[in-house]
Amino acid sequence: MFIDGNKFLNDAYKPRDTMQVANDKIDVQKDPISILLLGLDDDAEDTRGTGGARTDSMILLTINPSKELVSMVSIPRDTYTHIQTKNFDGNDKINAAYAHGGIEGSIDAVENLLNIPINYYATADFKAFEDVVNAVGGVEINVPFTLTEQNAQGKKVVELKEGKHNLNGEEALAFARTRYVDNDVERGKRQQEVLEAIAQKAMAVGSIAKYKSILNALDGHITTDMPPNRILSVAQSGLTKDYKFDSYVFSWMSYMYGDQSMVGLHKDSVDYISHKLRLSLNLESTDNRDEEGYKFTTDSVVDPRTYPQDGYAIDDE
């Protein structure tokens, strides 16, 4: 397993020079880390006319091995924010950061928005997503709606009835990606739910026997700047500790800016989630928001960084 895993992980390893020195000091068995997960819609045939890969989903997660805690939040891909890269300096949807500046563009945009240092990144395409779900034997999800939708290739219809199901890869992807039953933020919640279900399955001791299928599913479909030995250490931690998952969701509003639909995040929601993630990284101390029984309630004031200031935006709500 170690030999097979090392070959696959070395192939996937794409380091960033900007973080290598800082990350060398991290002991992933003891120290908390943050990872930006990017789901890439790498449309080889360019059937949508997008020009190739784009960021379809963005999930920021932290892993704290001492607290045995994984915290994560999905970032709505239509979030209006500032993006600064070598080729672009202006405001756009946050999912455009990848097109403007690659992985560094996406990382910088998320770090600036949430005030969270990002240690590592990982990208995966939808083929990997489907195959990993199949490799772990499917994921059990309580589907809250009836869904009829084409698959990722647009060739086959996926049909799901409301209720609890063990979803295969194609069904899990359709459930996680659909934008027609609710909205972008709810879509993010579904992605986190499926990701947690995959992680729980993968961390089960019985899944060790399926490692070959999991490696085959991921091979050639992911890139990351986490060194292979550290990935194996994280995997070991997952198998030996009892991790709890905390998922967070932004409070938000939608609006039209020109002919584009944008998402504005409520500032207190951004501050609250930033605090929770920074707390998990041991970068902040606890306060009243961490007391037992506390329930976050937004004041619905939009973060000005996520709303145009030129007066041309039109609220949808």
Side-chain angles (χ1 to χ4, degrees), residues 244-284:
K244 174 190 173 186
F245 286 77
D246 281 349
S247 295
Y248 297 98
V249 179
F250 289 108
S251 178
W252 63 289
M253 56 88 71
S254 62
Y255 58 91
M256 294 300 297
Y257 187 51
D259 60 354
Q260 301 231 30
S261 176
M262 299 286 187
V263 165
L265 305 179
H266 294 149
K267 187 177 186 309
D268 56 2
S269 170
V270 175
D271 292 343
Y272 174 69
I273 292 174
S274 174
H275 166 70
K276 284 295 188 180
L277 295 181
R278 288 177 60 84
L279 187 66
S280 70
L281 293 172
N282 298 336
L283 297 176
E284 286 190 13

Side-chain angles (χ1 to χ4, degrees), residues 222-234:
I222 73 164
T223 61
T224 181
D225 63 339
M226 183 180 288
N229 63 326
R230 298 198 173 190
I231 294 179
L232 293 171
S233 291
V234 171

Side-chain angles (χ1 to χ4, degrees), residues 178-195:
T178 184
R179 303 183 78 189
Y180 303 113
V181 296
D182 38 45
N183 55 57
D184 202 28
V185 173
E186 291 299 315
R187 179 176 181 265
K189 288 170 64 175
R190 293 196 302 275
Q191 291 171 357
Q192 291 176 214
E193 182 181 2
V194 174
L195 186 65

Side-chain angles (χ1 to χ4, degrees), residues 47 53 82 213 257 260 262 282 302-303 308:
T47 55
H82 186 72
S213 297
Y257 187 51
Q260 301 231 30
M262 299 286 187
N282 298 336
V302 179
D303 190 323

Side-chain angles (χ1 to χ4, degrees), residues 24-76:
D24 281 346
K25 302 174 183 178
I26 296 174
D27 181 350
V28 294
Q29 287 281 341
K30 300 176 182 178
D31 301 326
I33 59 172
S34 58
I35 306 172
L36 180 63
L37 303 178
L38 300 177
L40 300 183
D41 188 357
D42 194 356
D43 189 356
E45 298 179 357
D46 199 19
T47 55
R48 298 180 182 87
T50 60
R54 58 178 180 163
T55 305
D56 189 78
S57 59
M58 308 177 76
I59 295 177
L60 179 60
L61 65 85
T62 60
I63 303 174
N64 189 313
S66 299
K67 298 178 182 178
E68 299 187 358
L69 176 66
V70 175
S71 303
M72 58 181 166
V73 62
S74 288
I75 302 166

